[in-house]
Amino acid sequence: MMLGLPRRLFRGGGRSDLDDGGVLAKLTGVSAAAMVTLVLAGCGAERALPPIPEGIPPGPGTPLPMIDLDAPGRTAVQLRDWAEEQSDELGIPSVALEAYGYAAAIMGRSRPDCGIAWTTIAGIASVESKHGTHRGSAVDANGTVRPPIIGIPLDGSPGVALVKDTDGGKLDGDPDYDRALGPLQFIPETWKRWGVDANGDGIADPQNIDDAALTAARYLCASGGDLTSERGWQQALLTYNQSNAYLLTVRDRAAAYSVGRRA
């Protein structure tokens, strides 16, 4: 349930962890961005966590190493060392982190004016599907989410947008209404227009986190223009989901990742 928030325009009302209380935490003032240095106790030692930065856009995070963007196959695997070094600290599966980094690298070449950072893609994926792990799903070595993540029917019920079937049920298995798909929660109609193959298997699959991350990055850049600016970043996020609470939650999570913290 969307707790009375506006209906989603981009994904049409698919589920995210906001539906399970993320917005409630935000609205009650439990904002990580307002916190100062915390202390994490573990294994008999204490580690001071850096404060989560405020402001928009969130920081770019750990710089990406140089990779061959034109290499055959799943090119994102070149980011394995970079991803594994921070996967546990961030609480993001390394394969998913590779996908976010690769998407940002591709857009850095094809749309250098956009400036989208991997942290923004990760922030959205965290909200939408917990990085492809929503309700017991997992991301395999090739980036495919199993079992597939398929949202509720967009049937116009309270708090849910009405989006009648646009794909004959081919992608979401529903011949009557569309459903949001995959780790980044695209509706079939949007995927048909923006979906791209990012892992070199010749198929644009919304259930593959490489494909979904690059598709989301392309959509965000087209929607917001310069994502290094406050205005551009806000516009991109509000096009993805027309909710200020959603935007702030993504901002907080992306900002946490930018300083090496779990969101």
Side-chain angles (χ1 to χ4, degrees):
M1 187 174 77
M2 286 301 296
L3 301 177
L5 295 175
R7 294 181 178 182
R8 302 165 182 217
L9 298 184
F10 172 52
R11 291 168 297 100
R15 292 185 58 82
S16 72
D17 71 350
L18 288 180
D19 302 323
D20 299 321
V23 173
L24 182 58
K26 185 67 188 179
L27 297 181
T28 53
V30 187
S31 174
M35 299 176 69
V36 293
T37 303
L38 299 178
V39 177
L40 176 68
C43 301
E46 293 187 347
R47 180 172 66 90
L49 295 176
I52 297 175
E54 298 183 7
I56 293 175
T62 305
L64 296 166
M66 294 292 294
I67 61 173
D68 180 3
L69 296 176
D70 299 313
R74 186 175 181 266
T75 310
V77 75
Q78 297 174 74
L79 293 172
R80 179 60 51 83
D81 290 343
W82 172 84
E84 288 186 343
E85 285 177 1
Q86 53 187 335
S87 175
D88 289 342
E89 189 173 54
L90 299 179
I92 302 176
S94 61
V95 173
L97 198 49
E98 292 164 16
Y100 309 149
Y102 177 70
I106 287 289
M107 297 310 295
R109 182 175 71 176
S110 64
R111 283 289 307 273
D113 58 311
C114 172
I116 190 170
W118 65 264
T119 52
T120 290
I121 306 169
I124 292 174
S126 172
V127 173
E128 297 298 343
S129 69
K130 300 177 183 176
H131 307 293
T133 66
H134 181 66
R135 292 189 175 178
S137 290
V139 184
D140 70 17
N142 294 317
T144 301
V145 174
R146 304 180 190 279
I149 297 174
I150 299 177
I152 61 173
L154 305 178
D155 56 7
S157 57
V160 177
L162 174 61
V163 183
K164 294 186 177 180
D165 175 66
T166 62
D167 70 333
K170 181 179 179 180
L171 291 175
D172 58 14
D174 190 334
D176 299 315
Y177 301 100
D178 273 352
R179 297 174 181 241
L181 301 159
L184 273 298
Q185 289 288 276
F186 292 91
I187 59 174
E189 183 177 24
T190 306
W191 185 261
K192 184 184 299 183
R193 177 179 178 186
W194 292 96
V196 62
D197 170 30
N199 66 347
D201 66 357
I203 302 171
D205 180 4
Q207 300 291 348
N208 180 276
I209 203 160
D210 295 318
D211 296 357
L214 182 54
T215 297
R218 293 178 64 231
Y219 183 87
L220 290 163
C221 286
S223 301
D226 179 8
L227 267 65
T228 66
S229 70
E230 180 177 356
R231 180 177 180 180
W233 196 89
Q234 288 180 323
Q235 181 173 315
L237 266 291
L238 290 174
T239 303
Y240 204 94
N241 186 315
Q242 193 178 29
S243 163
N244 284 323
Y246 178 92
L247 180 152
L248 291 172
T249 303
V250 170
R251 189 278 312 275
D252 283 357
R253 297 189 186 191
Y257 296 143
S258 76
V259 293
R261 289 184 52 165
R262 288 179 178 246

